[in-house]
Amino acid sequence: MAKNLMFQGTGSSVGKSLLTAAFCRIYSQMGYKVAPFKSQNMALNSYITKNGLEMGRAQVVQAEAAKVEPSVLMNPILLKPSSDKKCQVILKGKVYKNMSAMEYHKFKPELADKVKEIYDELHNKFDVVFLEGAGSPAEINLREHDLVNMGMAEMADSPVILIGDIDKGGVFASLYGTIMLMNEEERKRIKGVIINKFRGDVKILEPGIKMLEDLINIPVLGVIPYSHLEIEDEDSLAERFKKNKNTKGQIEVAVLYLPHVSNFTDLNVFETQEDVNLRYVMRGESIGHPDMLIIPGSKNTIEDLKYLRDAGLEKEIIKLHRQNKIIFGICGGYQMLGKTLKDPHHTESSIPEINGIGLLDIETIFETEKTTTQVEAQVVAPIDYMEKTSIKGYEIHMGRSFLGKDAKVFSNIKVKLGEEVLIEDGAINEDGTVIGTYIHGVFDNIKFTRSILNHIRTKKGLDKLESTIESFQEFKEQEYDKLANIVRENMDMETIDKILNGEL
């Protein structure tokens, strides 16, 4: 029977996902077979497993940290907002249906038994399971039928560590208030508290820690310093979008932040390249004059295309194209770059047909069944500057795109769901300035990405530059180890062990 421990937070963006990943890596390094678990995740950032099932990327990160294969057992419910009022409900990796918030709330009692069954299946396969909550456990209006915080802790009979974010201010009040809003049985589950994202000298904090411990009668087990790590963090996406990482970079890569943007982790690799300034174009901002523009995936391609048009961004995209700047579309972004998008079944929208941006000679038709698959492909685009290398990634989309005479194939898919195939993917225009693909993770191949960046450097009169990292996966492994070291050095690991062993 596996040991378990749950991490809950005083609110969103306090660092639950990263701290869960940290403990997954720490206990994996100690020789345990470790799994993460989050019963319900709400995110547009998803991942496709080897068997073609969909799950939240936060648990994929945690699985990578634990050095185990991601499984939908680690995230049985994924909610993907499709509009302001509705979500697509993904249950055990497959689309169940679209629901409003009220419909889903009424559906929760039916889900409880399913969640418990899935958790037990995972629990029986591992030595240690680290659970993650969502938002705050003190949302007293949602406590009935809770599946993700204290309700899940009860189902798993798990002890709980509560996390507070000091960087936001008010950490003592948020920790104390959260605990005081719980009932007595819930408070008994909390075995320790973590103060996260601290900047400064811990000695200044110590008197406050002592006063907090006296008030709540629960120990503070660690004060984790604010650290900059290149790890996907579901809780800090707003920070990622708002800041420029490398304003001195000689190449500017702009990414359109769409209202229904999804799978934006496709762009994380650019943050590892020292000559790249990655900038997200937020609502109300101009695209400016980047060297390369990326239109990422979208949960609602037609609505996001309308947004680009209404905001005047489509005209800016066409202007960039006339300046021979590289424009790259992934999944929904690829579809938008085509001539027409047709939705005869109203899969995404009430609009049956809409003109695309028109920079690629393709037509997209939305279907009722979602494509979800891992793939391996070979870049075959007949463009001199582009590295003809193999790429690995995954597809997750509702439409199929058909190439016209003026579009060339971008890549050939050689492996799909572990089986050998030969399927054309994506498109590229004649001069190699407009590119589209359905493959998420296309940029994770450093050789491929550097071939595009060095092409841009050559056009700007700059020498080519080699990447300081050979593999994005290798880079991520190093970051997981750094995270584990930071947490281990600033935590009372002896007490954590006792909690896991049921001694406290």
Side-chain angles (χ1 to χ4, degrees), residues 174-185:
S174 60
L175 287 165
Y176 179 79
T178 298
I179 291 167
M180 288 303 108
L181 282 171
M182 294 178 180
N183 63 42
E184 188 176 345
E185 289 303 310

Side-chain angles (χ1 to χ4, degrees), residues 156-336:
D157 192 20
S158 174
V160 173
I161 302 292
L162 184 64
I163 302 165
D165 177 3
I166 196 169
D167 193 51
K168 292 178 177 178
V171 70
F172 295 122
S174 60
L175 287 165
Y176 179 79
T178 298
I179 291 167
M180 288 303 108
L181 282 171
M182 294 178 180
N183 63 42
E184 188 176 345
E185 289 303 310
E186 291 170 340
R187 287 179 205 153
K188 286 179 181 177
R189 287 199 177 274
I190 302 179
K191 304 301 181 181
V193 165
I194 296 174
I195 294 175
N196 197 23
K197 304 183 190 178
F198 179 70
R199 308 174 194 245
D201 189 339
V202 173
K203 289 192 178 300
I204 298 172
L205 198 63
E206 286 174 353
I209 291 174
K210 178 66 169 63
M211 285 186 276
L212 177 67
E213 289 177 330
D214 289 343
L215 284 167
I216 62 177
N217 199 29
I218 298 169
V220 175
L221 300 179
V223 177
I224 310 300
Y226 192 101
S227 306
H228 177 69
L229 293 164
E230 296 295 345
I231 297 175
E232 297 169 26
D233 181 6
E234 202 73 37
D235 280 345
S236 66
L237 299 176
E239 295 176 24
R240 179 180 293 276
F241 291 140
K242 288 178 182 176
K243 63 186 176 185
N244 287 9
K245 290 295 181 70
N246 180 17
T247 53
K248 295 181 181 179
Q250 296 162 305
I251 297 174
E252 183 178 294
V253 176
V255 181
L256 293 179
Y257 181 79
L258 305 168
H260 303 92
V261 64
S262 65
N263 298 85
F264 33 76
T265 47
D266 289 336
L267 297 316
N268 289 359
V269 66
F270 288 105
E271 296 172 8
T272 70
Q273 302 303 298
E274 62 186 54
D275 59 340
V276 173
N277 173 25
L278 183 67
R279 178 174 63 87
Y280 290 91
V281 181
M282 306 302 288
R283 186 182 291 271
E285 294 180 347
S286 169
I287 294 174
H289 305 281
D291 300 296
M292 178 177 179
L293 176 69
I294 298 173
I295 309 177
S298 167
K299 183 65 182 69
N300 194 322
T301 304
I302 291 176
E303 290 299 320
D304 282 352
L305 175 58
K306 286 177 61 185
Y307 158 76
L308 295 182
R309 196 157 281 158
D310 294 343
L313 294 173
E314 181 182 34
K315 291 180 181 178
E316 293 189 47
I317 294 169
I318 293 169
K319 185 177 179 181
L320 282 177
H321 172 59
R322 289 172 180 160
Q323 296 169 353
N324 290 318
K325 299 296 179 72
I326 292 178
I327 300 170
F328 202 117
I330 304 173
C331 199
Y334 166 43
Q335 295 169 342
M336 292 182 206

